[in-house]
Amino acid sequence: DSAQQASIGSQTCPFGGAGAEKAAQDGCPVTDPAAMARAFDAFEGPYQLDPAEALRWSRDQLPVFYSPKLGYWVVSRYDDIKAVFRDGILFSPRNVLEKVTPATPEAMEVLKSYGYAMNRTMVNEDEPAHMERRRALMDHFIPANLEHHQEMVRRLTREKMDAFIDQGRVDLVEAMLYEVPLNVALHFLGVPEDEIAVLRTFSVAHSVNTWGKPTDDQQIAVAHDVGRFWEYAGKIIEKMKAEPEGTGWMHETIRKNAEMPDVVTDSYVHSMMMAIIVAAHETTSLASVNMFKTLLSNREAWDDICADPSLIPNAVEECLRYAGSIVAWRRQTTAPTTLNGVDLPEGAKLLIVQASGNQDERHFEDGDKFDIYRDNAVDHLTFGYGSHQCMGKNIGRMEMRIFLEEFTRRLPHLRLAEQAFTYLPNTSFRGPDHLWVEWDPALNPEREHLQLAHDNLYFPVGAPSRRDIARKVRVADVRQEADGIVGLTLEDAKGRPLPRWSAGAHVELVAGGYDRKYSLCGQADAPGYDLAILREDEGRGGSRYICDHLREGMELRLRGPSNLFRLDEEAPAYVLIAGGIGVTPILAMADRLKALGKPYAIHYCGRARATMALLGRLQADHSDHLSLHIKDEGARADLPAIVAALPEGGQIYCCGPERMITALEDLTADRPEGTLHFEHFSAHDTGLDPDKEQAFDVELKDSGLTLTVAADQTLLDAMQAAGIDVASDCCEGLCGSCEVDVLSGEIDHRDMVLTRAERAENRRMMACCSRAKNGGRIKLA
Ligand code: HEM
Ligand code: FES
């Protein structure tokens, strides 16, 4: 409705700017978070325009707040949203399909006249019923069982593209992005493909009915459509029942309903028939529209993909992170609880805003920037997380990859047309109603090279492969930083700005067949990345290659930046301890603490002055805070004294050799949790010898599965094969990105991430290297 849509366009203070800080600079009078919370409106203004930006103030100042206009608690930080998704018992999904705007009595009457009885499906079902049902109906969604659908998706995509490729201008929504996901969904479900137009009205009505704010008059019209949709879903089920051998997921559901009616109930089948069309279709259509809009507005990213289509799977993930189609989801507390320090009563309704979590700088470096090279984009929350995580995520990904692949190959010269975008106002589903694009058909590459219309790449079903995610950089400077240590400055190969990074972040250099991680140690606002690299004579060759071969002007590839050694900026005081080349993240932390005006002390230990990198910078910028402990000069660090001098609540950050970290672990054993933070740079051999290893069983509580990890397989491999996206990075127990939560069972920890105390607690493990002790059974969250 144009009146509602028009109101989306205004972006003014108090909650439209870049948070309270910026608002204050701009002279905005309202910087009080309580006032921002009161003003929060989920249907109008900035939230509809850009939900992540509209909640920046909340992420920074009040990450859990009550919105009186909506009647919900709004949750905006990544970790909090994930924690809510993770605990499906305390945070029940029962309100997921509840109407955000309650129905008027007249609308209820209309719905009743159709026998409307929408009830629990999958996404809003509580445990234990949900997992039993999900397990019974999971098979069709396993990655290996989805592969054969790629051909169908490609065929449907090409049919549409062939029809408009010579036109030069289309609305992509009308021309294909609405219908193809709908047809794919119908094929996957095994639902007859007729009546697409009817379904279209119905599914819009279902979205408005559930997540929108219809006026009282609109409620009546919507209720009729929803009622008819309900009847229609019932008819389809009857039609499908008459075909007992039918293929597709809904046929399977109908068969399971006959086999196990207590698990796959009649009410479920009817409700799901209606809900799944929206779940499978609107989500993917809108995500695809958002993807094209985002990429065509970030032309460099589009051009990079045209030049290198192996970037597609990660670009899709970054689009889902940055401009996902589900921006917020819901939960309801089943008991009083506390979330990030805020007390929530029993029955509290939560709006967990994934779009905001997806741009949280506490999880994503330079989180509000679109970056197809981001190496943890796959951590986004657009598909939800935990036991209810989207079952169809790999179908959505598959479609979006194929769309992008066909378009970047056949229409690389596509551009956005001038237009004003309109959106259907609602809390959760987001994507423009239309997307006009233009191109010059005379320049279609397939007019010259016919084969181009038929070529295609293949991407295996599942999360993107990390191997393909790397940006090109150029060596801008090579210098001798100290004896045996080379300093490098890297810049983007095309002279674009590199992403911002936070203290403790690292990058991974991909050069000469090696992948090696190095902390960033330059000034945070410098245009290039500074690294200091120790040439390790005894190492595996990566550092030797880099130190001996890299020259100014050479190009190489780089992953990251990522940060797994984050500085908690809330502590009252800090001690930073560097051993040798471990000084690199420590220098970045010192710079940050100085900028924040926090008390800090730096202890830098080395063999001889000439071997100590970055000394000049430390002495120039941090001389009052710096203590040097140089072995050749007879000064060794007195670690017990350093730890003893740490004020209460203070934190220690150490990067250095293993023995230094072990000593600090001993010295801080009786200090509160979170006192010591460290990062290692060496790993033990993590290769698996199947003769020495034992297979073991893992029960996965959040996903309700039990897997067997073979003797020659890691837990990470086994989980990824089952379609569970566990983030991973180093795959050698160094980085902490593959951490999973342990509920029970004894773990043989083989990582270099967890502290001794954390191991003893038995609550976490690294899936890439650690295993069950003696082949025992373990249970994970
Ligand atoms: C659940 C998003 C595509 C089927 C969900 C949830 C979200 C979501 C946010 C709730 C997750 C949670 O509570 O943790 C999306 C997005 C998609 C997409 C953004 C496309 C880009 C699909 C497709 C299908 C599908 C194509 C099916 C063919 C389902 C089902 C559930 C679900 C069955 C319920 C899972 C459960 O509760 O156990 N989806 N979805 N989705 N989705 Fe998707
Ligand atoms: Fe790095 Fe497992 S992937 S610790």
Side-chain angles (χ1 to χ4, degrees), residues 501 503 521-524 576 585-597 600 602 617-618 621-622:
W501 52 280
C521 59
Q523 305 275 9
L576 310 177
I586 295 298
L587 174 59
M589 289 182 171
D591 286 347
R592 177 69 185 155
L593 292 172
K594 185 176 178 183
L596 291 173
Y600 64 99
I602 310 168
R617 255 272 267 133
L618 279 165
D621 294 341
H622 302 281

Side-chain angles (χ1 to χ4, degrees), residues 457-753:
L457 285 175
Y458 158 78
F459 300 112
V461 171
S465 151
R466 235 184 91 72
R467 223 189 26 244
D468 296 327
I469 313 170
R471 71 184 87 239
K472 281 198 190 124
V473 291
R474 194 183 34 245
V475 179
D477 184 48
V478 186
R479 56 198 168 268
Q480 195 68 27
E481 203 69 74
D483 283 359
I485 297 176
V486 167
L488 282 186
T489 301
L490 303 174
E491 288 175 358
D492 182 85
K494 293 190 178 156
R496 306 167 189 169
L498 286 167
R500 283 178 295 148
W501 52 280
S502 55
H506 69 270
V507 292
E508 188 173 16
L509 295 190
V510 185
Y514 299 97
D515 296 6
R516 288 290 171 270
K517 293 192 171 58
Y518 299 102
S519 294
L520 292 171
C521 59
Q523 305 275 9
D525 51 4
Y529 288 167
D530 285 349
L531 316 175
I533 297 173
L534 173 68
R535 187 182 188 285
E536 286 177 275
D537 295 331
E538 304 297 315
R540 285 175 286 176
S543 70
R544 283 200 301 278
Y545 178 87
I546 289 168
C547 292
D548 298 348
H549 290 89
L550 291 192
R551 299 280 175 273
E552 206 179 303
M554 278 170 80
E555 280 197 0
L556 63 155
R557 301 204 319 146
L558 172 142
R559 290 198 189 102
S562 319
N563 197 341
L564 299 159
F565 187 35
R566 240 169 233 284
L567 190 62
D568 170 359
E569 298 189 348
E570 306 299 319
Y574 298 82
V575 170
L576 310 177
I577 306 175
I581 194 63
V583 71
T584 49
I586 295 298
L587 174 59
M589 289 182 171
D591 286 347
R592 177 69 185 155
L593 292 172
K594 185 176 178 183
L596 291 173
K598 293 272 188 174
Y600 64 99
I602 310 168
H603 295 274
Y604 184 8
C605 313
R607 196 163 36 82
R609 204 169 276 265
T611 65
M612 292 167 73
L614 305 171
L615 253 186
R617 255 272 267 133
L618 279 165
Q619 282 165 331
D621 294 341
H622 302 281
S623 60
D624 293 350
H625 305 257
L626 182 64
S627 306
L628 296 177
H629 309 279
I630 304 173
K631 195 172 154 205
D632 271 10
E633 298 174 14
R636 289 203 172 208
D638 180 354
L639 292 180
I642 293 171
V643 173
L646 184 74
E648 200 177 316
Q651 296 189 359
I652 301 174
Y653 289 78
C654 173
C655 185
E658 195 174 346
R659 67 187 138 62
M660 181 183 247
I661 291 169
T662 313
L664 286 170
E665 281 195 276
D666 289 339
L667 291 166
T668 54
D670 46 12
R671 294 271 184 155
E673 209 179 310
T675 300
L676 177 66
H677 305 256
F678 58 80
E679 191 166 66
H680 274 283
F681 271 101
S682 63
H684 301 302
D685 183 9
T686 48
L688 289 176
D689 178 351
D691 293 337
K692 294 195 185 134
E693 304 295 350
Q694 286 179 288
F696 60 99
D697 284 344
V698 194
E699 194 183 330
L700 301 169
K701 182 172 167 285
D702 285 352
S703 356
L705 302 173
T706 300
L707 308 176
T708 299
V709 182
D712 62 349
Q713 199 185 23
T714 65
L715 171 60
L716 181 69
D717 294 337
M719 290 176 77
Q720 287 176 340
I724 296 169
D725 303 338
V726 187
S728 62
D729 187 344
C730 67
C731 291
E732 50 184 335
L734 280 177
C735 70
S737 52
C738 65
E739 178 177 311
V740 289
D741 290 350
V742 178
L743 298 174
S744 63
E746 277 195 82
I747 310 299
D748 173 5
H749 290 284
R750 302 180 184 183
D751 64 276
M752 309 285 280
V753 179

Side-chain angles (χ1 to χ4, degrees), residues 197-235:
V198 188
L199 276 174
R200 182 170 191 163
T201 347
F202 288 166
S203 55
V204 170
H206 179 49
S207 304
V208 174
N209 186 46
T210 313
W211 295 279
K213 193 181 181 183
T215 60
D216 287 3
D217 284 348
Q218 286 168 333
Q219 288 235 20
I220 303 286
V222 165
H224 278 291
D225 278 338
V226 170
R228 272 186 237 123
F229 193 2
W230 178 256
E231 278 186 346
Y232 178 77
K235 280 197 202 119

Side-chain angles (χ1 to χ4, degrees), residues 739-742 749 754 758 761-766:
E739 178 177 311
V740 289
D741 290 350
V742 178
H749 290 284
L754 295 179
E758 286 164 345
E761 264 179 9
N762 210 36
R763 282 191 356 221
R764 311 148 64 184
M765 73 185 283
M766 300 306 140

